[in-house]
Amino acid sequence: MLGLGELELKVMDVLWSSGEPMRVRDVLERLAGERRLAYTTVMTVLDHLHGKGWVHRSMTGRAYSYRPARTREEAGANLLREVLDSSGDAESVLLHFARSVSDRESEVLRRALDRGRES
């Protein structure tokens, strides 16, 4: 995702798949299978994500618990919005994208647009 490094994205994946707030140690344990990370590394990544507005944190006992500030789907939609806003030619980007979608994705977009017209 735009604005996230590789480890930040892995941490966000852990938080998104959890569905509940997690402490640094919880995130570290979920990441343990991929590569050996230090507790302080994960703590620093979560602190950076908090500073960037990607996670909310609250004190649980003597440690912070972290949860995503937005769902994975909202983050994806925000990324698309950023791409369109920064492209200089949103219409061309949308047309290229429309040619790349599957039949299923096309149907989902059509239904969403139809619902938008009804409201």
Side-chain angles (χ1 to χ4, degrees):
M1 300 235 163
L2 199 60
L4 291 184
E6 181 183 341
L7 186 52
E8 289 174 324
L9 185 54
K10 288 179 189 247
V11 168
M12 288 305 301
D13 283 339
V14 167
L15 293 173
W16 280 322
S17 63
S18 169
E20 59 186 45
M22 299 181 78
R23 295 170 300 146
V24 173
R25 182 141 330 272
D26 302 325
V27 175
L28 179 63
E29 288 172 5
R30 296 260 180 104
L31 291 171
E34 298 183 23
R35 66 180 185 181
R36 193 161 176 84
L37 294 168
Y39 179 92
T40 54
T41 300
V42 175
M43 183 174 63
T44 299
V45 169
L46 284 163
D47 187 57
H48 287 161
L49 289 168
H50 178 259
K52 292 179 176 183
W54 281 87
V55 298
H56 296 298
R57 68 182 177 194
S58 57
M59 193 61 80
T60 305
R62 297 186 315 172
Y64 284 117
S65 289
Y66 295 85
R67 61 184 170 76
R70 60 187 72 87
T71 66
R72 183 188 312 265
E73 296 76 16
E74 290 168 329
N78 289 343
L79 176 60
L80 289 173
R81 181 78 264 156
E82 286 180 38
V83 169
L84 290 172
D85 289 345
S86 66
S87 71
D89 188 357
E91 185 175 329
S92 290
V93 172
L94 284 170
L95 290 172
H96 283 284
F97 176 74
R99 287 192 287 271
S100 74
V101 299
S102 69
D103 289 341
R104 169 79 176 115
E105 293 163 337
S106 178
E107 182 56 35
V108 169
L109 287 170
R110 286 179 207 283
R111 282 197 313 266
L113 290 170
D114 288 343
R115 280 195 302 269
R117 286 187 202 115
E118 293 170 1
S119 42

